[in-house]
Amino acid sequence: ALRACLAALEMQRRMKTLADEIKISGYKLSMRVGINSGIVMAGNMGSEDRFDFTVIGDNVNIASRLEAVNKIYGTEIIISESTMKKIDGKLTVRELDSVRVKGKRQGIKIFELIDGKEGTYIEIFEKGLNLYREGYFAAAMEKFRESLEKNPEDKPSRLFIKRCEYLINTPPEKWDGIRDTG
């Protein structure tokens, strides 16, 4: 898990270098990564005539869904709670949300893997996230705004401000704090 996270961080660093070197009008070179830890089936799969080395299983599907979820949050690397526990505080992460990915009934906690040292905005964001989960949307929105003041480029804070505004104006009948990703 730690090596996968370190590799993802290095991939993003190199992608930024490439993006600076390769300029195409109207396009920005970028990528997203999803990392999940768990048991998978790996090996040559297929028929006698056509086979390929691949991995399959529920944990592979979750990693794939996490990669796509980056688009919603404006992030580059999202890891699952199982991966976060395995890296054991060795890297900078912030809790992003609890999501219910396609094909799953239960929510899973997701975390953004951050390249660099923890900023104060992360702690403020996580306070906002706790308030959000408890249904205190106005108070949560203030924390997300405070987080955005510390880091004006923080896309997850912007997203949660919009969510809070919506939830204040359209209170949910039932609130479990888990976001369906479709």
Side-chain angles (χ1 to χ4, degrees):
L2 180 60
R3 286 188 295 223
C5 290
L6 290 170
L9 289 168
E10 182 61 24
M11 288 165 52
Q12 287 296 352
R13 283 185 212 111
R14 290 188 184 189
M15 178 59 67
K16 286 180 176 85
T17 301
L18 264 172
D20 290 342
E21 292 173 9
I22 302 171
K23 302 269 186 197
I24 301 171
S25 180
Y27 294 94
K28 182 179 184 249
L29 192 60
S30 66
M31 71 173 186
R32 301 180 301 253
V33 179
I35 302 173
N36 183 43
S37 298
I39 296 171
V40 301
M41 184 177 291
N44 287 322
M45 311 277 173
S47 67
E48 271 185 36
D49 297 329
R50 185 171 179 211
F51 67 88
D52 200 3
F53 186 85
T54 190
V55 290
I56 60 173
D58 197 40
N59 287 303
V60 176
N61 294 341
I62 290 171
S64 176
R65 303 281 188 236
L66 296 183
E67 180 275 326
V69 168
N70 276 292
K71 190 172 185 178
I72 295 169
Y73 295 89
T75 53
E76 295 175 341
I77 306 169
I78 291 181
I79 65 173
S80 66
E81 185 173 19
S82 62
T83 299
M84 193 276 304
K85 287 178 179 176
K86 288 181 182 291
I87 64 173
D88 194 30
K90 291 179 176 81
L91 300 170
T92 303
V93 298
R94 79 159 146 182
E95 189 171 349
L96 267 183
D97 210 350
S98 290
V99 297
R100 196 174 356 258
V101 296
K102 185 177 178 183
K104 290 289 181 190
R105 289 193 180 136
Q106 279 192 297
I108 60 169
K109 286 185 179 180
I110 60 171
F111 299 79
E112 178 184 16
L113 181 59
I114 299 171
D115 191 6
K117 298 291 179 205
E118 180 177 339
T120 55
Y121 78 97
I122 295 172
E123 190 176 305
I124 297 166
F125 178 91
E126 288 180 343
K127 287 178 184 175
L129 184 60
N130 288 331
L131 291 164
Y132 171 84
R133 284 199 181 123
E134 292 170 14
Y136 299 113
F137 305 121
M141 187 166 52
E142 290 309 310
K143 286 295 177 191
F144 295 131
R145 285 185 175 141
E146 188 180 335
S147 172
L148 200 54
E149 286 174 14
K150 301 282 184 190
N151 181 5
E153 303 299 316
D154 190 46
K155 293 175 183 171
S157 290
R158 289 183 200 283
L159 172 70
F160 275 92
I161 289 168
K162 287 180 184 173
R163 281 190 192 172
C164 287
E165 287 171 347
Y166 175 81
L167 291 165
I168 289 167
N169 293 323
T170 313
E173 288 181 29
K174 183 181 172 193
W175 178 251
D176 64 2
I178 299 175
R179 173 85 173 159
D180 287 310
T181 63

